[in-house]
Amino acid sequence: MGCLDEQVVIVTGAGRGIGRATALLCGREGARVLADDLGCDAAGRGADSSVSDRVANEIVALGGVAVASHEDVSGREGPRRLTERAMDEFGRLDAVIACAGVARNRQLLRMSDDDLDAVMNVQLRSSIRLTRAGAQTMARQGNGGSIVLSAGASALFGSPHQSSLTAAFAGLMGFARSAAMELRRQGIRVNTVAPLARTRLTENNPVFKGIGADSLSATHVAPVNAYLASRLSVEVSGEFVAVAGSRVYLLAVRETTGIFADGAGFALEELQRGWNEITRG
């Protein structure tokens, strides 16, 4: 028996990288998988239906149950149609794992509106709409469920030439925690995974130079996605979990003690004198 036996799981970005590794693992763990991938290039352009077809066929060949989907989740109606497809194919929905992503790395001064929209539509808006559509379906079922979103540690630390992506990740981090609070009463969990893994979107990142191809791979991330989708994590919600190879850890915001003013407020010079304590204390 698998940890996801009989559960219905949507995986977006399922044709390659982390999405593919996650879809395959969910299939091996007994889930019925709706494997969605538009089949676009790394920048979000074009379409190739064979990308999701291959991973769905691979799951079936391994003895699992899977259906391919070629939905464009970046559009307004894509996430809703995807959840409706899961209901049409399998009659229920237990988890949504959002792995779709695009790369438009640009210096801020050279970033176009098209670059900004492409990143925000896939990384942020589609995740919000998938969460809404999935949660609405799960709430109607009344059996709870799980939403697993994908972001990055740059949400907290920043990253040069990725200001749009970092903004999307930071938005997702705040959104996921708010959604987790709202949906707790319905038994729906919302968590975010921040992977450090070599994929077609990240392969040119200098961090991977000199590191073996198997050291920071998509297959390291898949078990965390599958665990958070499964009922093994029924008490886990609102977390920002990072994965870097064989290390899994939590990313958190820190609040310093700060300084306190006597009276109505601070003089500017007082803020200057206390700045180290404000920012590091």
Side-chain angles (χ1 to χ4, degrees), residues 6-25:
E6 300 304 313
Q7 291 195 59
V8 175
V9 179
I10 293 173
V11 182
T12 68
R16 302 182 179 100
I18 294 170
R20 177 180 179 276
T22 298
L24 289 171
L25 180 56

Side-chain angles (χ1 to χ4, degrees), residues 143-280:
N143 298 316
S146 176
I147 310 288
V148 184
L149 304 177
S150 299
S154 61
L156 295 177
F157 306 121
S159 179
H161 301 173
Q162 292 187 323
S163 55
S164 59
L165 188 62
T166 298
F169 287 164
L172 270 182
M173 184 176 69
F175 165 75
R177 289 188 168 167
S178 296
M181 294 175 187
E182 286 190 30
L183 297 171
R184 191 177 301 274
R185 180 175 294 181
Q186 285 80 22
I188 300 169
R189 313 182 307 282
V190 185
N191 291 286
T192 309
V193 174
L196 178 60
R198 188 195 305 269
T199 70
R200 65 181 184 137
L201 301 184
T202 64
E203 59 188 359
N204 294 323
N205 191 320
V207 74
F208 296 112
K209 289 184 178 179
I211 296 177
D214 296 330
S215 297
L216 296 168
S217 71
T219 56
H220 288 102
V221 184
V224 179
N225 283 341
Y227 166 73
L228 292 172
S230 77
R231 296 188 180 96
L232 295 175
S233 64
V234 70
E235 300 296 330
V236 181
S237 192
E239 301 292 4
F240 193 36
V241 183
V243 187
S246 57
R247 182 187 180 208
V248 180
Y249 53 104
L250 194 69
L251 289 169
V253 177
R254 183 174 70 94
E255 181 180 305
T256 67
T257 302
I259 63 174
F260 298 86
D262 293 328
F266 290 101
L268 303 189
E269 294 81 2
E270 290 177 306
L271 291 172
Q272 182 187 35
R273 287 193 298 271
W275 197 250
N276 280 344
E277 191 173 351
I278 291 169
T279 58
R280 300 174 187 174

Side-chain angles (χ1 to χ4, degrees), residues 57-173:
N57 290 338
E58 190 170 351
I59 293 169
V60 172
L62 293 170
V65 179
V67 173
S69 168
H70 319 115
E71 194 65 61
D72 181 0
V73 294
S74 69
R76 287 191 174 187
E77 297 302 317
R80 178 186 58 77
R81 287 196 295 262
L82 192 56
T83 55
E84 289 176 352
R85 176 79 184 281
M87 295 299 291
D88 290 342
E89 294 286 348
F90 303 118
R92 61 178 294 107
L93 178 61
D94 299 285
V96 176
I97 307 176
C99 296
V102 299
R104 296 279 185 101
N105 296 343
R106 299 283 189 275
Q107 293 181 13
L108 178 61
L109 297 180
R110 298 181 179 179
M111 181 175 61
S112 69
D113 283 346
D114 183 60
D115 295 330
L116 177 62
D117 288 343
V119 171
M120 288 296 176
N121 284 342
V122 175
Q123 305 288 170
L124 181 60
R125 293 190 181 100
S126 75
S127 295
I128 293 173
R129 289 172 179 141
L130 273 168
T131 301
R132 179 180 62 187
Q136 287 171 340
T137 300
M138 294 170 190
R140 286 193 294 269
Q141 290 174 164
N143 298 316
S146 176
I147 310 288
V148 184
L149 304 177
S150 299
S154 61
L156 295 177
F157 306 121
S159 179
H161 301 173
Q162 292 187 323
S163 55
S164 59
L165 188 62
T166 298
F169 287 164
L172 270 182
M173 184 176 69

Side-chain angles (χ1 to χ4, degrees), residues 21-33:
T22 298
L24 289 171
L25 180 56
C26 287
R28 288 197 297 270
E29 289 290 341
R32 291 171 285 176
V33 181

